[in-house]
């Protein structure tokens, strides 16, 4: 066990409760997403409805972006997170009651998906802004990696578990999901209440836009967030995995499941490594290299006709993405004053969500225009071009030595 691990475990019991709450919440969401999608398809048999469910879940993040950050900065963050987890538990309970009475409808699922997305929109910035107060600055990169491992663990295990339980009936998924959210809520409320005051600024257009202004005024933060946006936007190939599984790699649903799990496996292994051996030097250079590896792995996957080689490069892709995510996440949080973390996290969360959602759309559109393989290869090339361009546009970020150094440049780009 490394020194960082010992310090996290011995002196920071609140972090363990935080980590367990993240595991429960992430697992509950993954199980609920699988069950809702399958339930909707059983009801309507319309593939388009599955796309609408995803869009409805994402919509609150866009609608309430400015308000979610302000709430995270104005109120007790642990209570905000716990309230959101309680709201998601109520969504699961509503599905339990609807399933037991056989009254779940297409419209009901859309309404509950919107409520689920709303709860998650308020939960995410408060959760991200809460973590820095639980551990000292020196341990924060390790804590980010450990927190990310919770998400990756849930991504690997929970969807398969949700699908397996749904075979016995929807109640077998919705009821355990509600329990997971209740446990997460209790764990979050067990965290110590922060003593220092948060922002007392009243809600206004000026305060709501403060997160955007802050990001624009910190050139390195703006570069890190926008690099992730465009790199994932161009390099995302997950939406095309069914096509690769069926038509290129000539495998079945089991192969598609392995392909979907491979990036999460690589990311989880890397998260465990970074939790034990945090990156402390040359963080800017390592972040750009990891994004470049992400692009190369994307190209390799697009050109591969071997199932096992495709699994390997997808695992490498996930590991590289995890390095970039941990560095970026720790850097942005450490460079942001505590009173601003909620609003900055809300903007960052919108960028991440937009890159994932629009990245799937971009992949589908380019595949329609140019073909599946050219679309993925072009996306990987685009990621490499973006990486090179961002090194030129944000030289101080590329040369950054440590995560917690004072920024050397603060002028807006």
């Amino acid at each position: 066990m490394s020194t960082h691990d010992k310090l996290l475990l011995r002196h920071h019991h609140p972090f363990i409760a935080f980590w367990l709450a993240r595991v429960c919440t992430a697992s509950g969401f993954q199980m609920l997403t699988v069950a809702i999608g399958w339930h909707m398809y059983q009801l309507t048999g319309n593939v388009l409805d599955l796309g609408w469910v995803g869009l409805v879940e994402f919509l609150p993040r866009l609608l309430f972006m400015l308000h979610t950050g302000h709430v995270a900065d104005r109120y007790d963050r642990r209570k905000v997170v716990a309230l959101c987890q309680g709201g998601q538990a109520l969504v699961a309970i509503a599905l339990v009651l609807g399933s037991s009475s056989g009254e779940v409808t297409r419209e009901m699922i859309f309404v509950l998906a919107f409520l689920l997305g709303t709860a998650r929109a308020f939960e995410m910035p408060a959760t991200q802004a809460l973590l820095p107060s639980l551990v000292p600055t020196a341990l924060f990169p390790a804590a980010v990696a450990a927190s990310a491992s919770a998400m990756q663990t849930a991504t690997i295990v929970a969807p398969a578990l949700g699908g397996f339980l749904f075979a016995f009936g929807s109640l077998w998924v919705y009821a355990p999901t509600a329990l997971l959210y209740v446990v997460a809520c209790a764990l979050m409320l067990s965290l110590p209440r922060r003593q220092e005051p948060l922002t007392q600024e009243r809600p206004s257009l000026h305060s709501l836009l403060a997160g955007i202004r802050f990001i624009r005024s910190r050139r390195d933060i703006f570069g890190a967030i926008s690099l992730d946006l465009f790199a994932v936007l161009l390099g995302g190939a997950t939406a095309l995995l069914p096509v690769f599984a069926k038509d290129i790699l000539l495998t079945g649903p089991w192969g598609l499941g392995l392909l979907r799990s491979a990036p999460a496996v690589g990311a989880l292994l890397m998260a465990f490594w970074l939790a034990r051996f945090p990156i402390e030097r040359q963080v800017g250079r390592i972040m750009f290299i990891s994004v470049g590896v992400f692009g190369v792995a994307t190209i390799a996957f697009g050109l591969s006709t071997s199932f096992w080689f495709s699994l390997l490069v997808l695992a490498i892709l996930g590991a590289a993405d995890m390095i970039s995510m941990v560095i970026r996440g720790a850097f942005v949080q450490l460079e942001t004053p505590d009173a601003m973390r909620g609003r900055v996290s809300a903007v960052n969360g919108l960028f991440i969500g937009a890159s994932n959602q629009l990245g799937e759309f971009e992949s589908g559109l380019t595949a329609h225009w140019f073909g599946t393989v050219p679309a993925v290869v072009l996306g990987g090339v685009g990621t490499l071009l973006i990486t090179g361009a961002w090194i030129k546009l944000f030289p101080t970020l590329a040369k950054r030595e440590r995560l917690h150094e004072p920024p050397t440049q603060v002028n807006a780009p």
Side-chain angles (χ1 to χ4, degrees), residues 79-93 119 178 181-182 184-185:
K79 290 184 178 179
V80 172
V81 176
L83 182 63
C84 293
Q85 292 165 342
Q88 292 169 84
L90 291 176
V91 170
I93 291 171
Y181 280 121
V182 171
C185 181

Side-chain angles (χ1 to χ4, degrees), residues 137-160:
T137 299
L139 296 180
F140 188 64
V144 172
S147 179
S149 71
M151 298 294 295
Q152 297 304 325
T153 301
T155 301
I156 295 171
V157 177

Side-chain angles (χ1 to χ4, degrees), residues 197-213:
L198 293 170
T199 180
Q200 298 301 313
E201 190 176 0
R202 292 287 180 181
S204 65
L205 183 61
H206 181 272
S207 67
L208 294 176
L209 293 174
I212 295 176
R213 290 196 303 272

Side-chain angles (χ1 to χ4, degrees), residues 10-215:
R10 185 182 305 165
H11 301 293
H12 301 287
H13 297 294
F15 175 76
I16 299 175
F18 177 87
W19 188 89
L20 291 173
R22 291 277 284 170
V23 171
C24 290
T25 301
S27 299
F29 176 71
Q30 292 290 341
M31 292 172 63
L32 200 56
T33 299
V34 169
I36 287 176
W38 190 268
H39 206 148
M40 175 66 87
Y41 195 64
Q42 277 188 333
L43 286 173
T44 70
N46 188 348
V47 177
L48 185 60
D49 281 337
L50 301 180
W52 282 114
V53 169
L55 183 61
V56 168
E57 285 183 8
F58 173 73
L59 188 60
R61 185 176 294 181
L62 180 63
L63 292 177
F64 305 126
M65 176 194 71
L66 299 176
H67 298 84
T68 57
H70 190 86
V71 167
D73 285 337
R74 182 170 174 80
Y75 301 102
D76 188 338
R77 288 164 180 161
R78 64 192 183 95
K79 290 184 178 179
V80 172
V81 176
L83 182 63
C84 293
Q85 292 165 342
Q88 292 169 84
L90 291 176
V91 170
I93 291 171
L95 287 166
V96 168
L97 297 176
S99 297
S100 61
S101 62
E103 295 180 355
V104 176
T105 64
R106 174 178 180 269
E107 290 71 23
M108 176 183 176
I109 290 179
F110 281 136
V111 171
L112 292 177
F114 182 83
L115 295 176
L116 179 66
T118 299
R120 285 179 56 79
F122 281 89
E123 177 190 18
M124 196 209 71
T127 300
Q128 290 187 350
L130 180 63
L131 181 56
S133 66
L134 300 178
V135 295
T137 299
L139 296 180
F140 188 64
V144 172
S147 179
S149 71
M151 298 294 295
Q152 297 304 325
T153 301
T155 301
I156 295 171
V157 177
L161 178 60
F164 174 76
L165 292 176
F166 201 98
F168 297 97
S170 56
L171 287 174
W172 286 83
V173 184
Y174 296 138
T177 297
L179 180 60
L180 283 171
Y181 280 121
V182 171
V183 171
C185 181
L187 287 168
M188 196 59 62
L189 290 176
S190 73
L191 298 178
R193 184 174 183 177
R194 51 182 297 119
Q195 299 300 318
E196 62 271 23
L198 293 170
T199 180
Q200 298 301 313
E201 190 176 0
R202 292 287 180 181
S204 65
L205 183 61
H206 181 272
S207 67
L208 294 176
L209 293 174
I212 295 176
R213 290 196 303 272
F214 180 84
I215 291 173

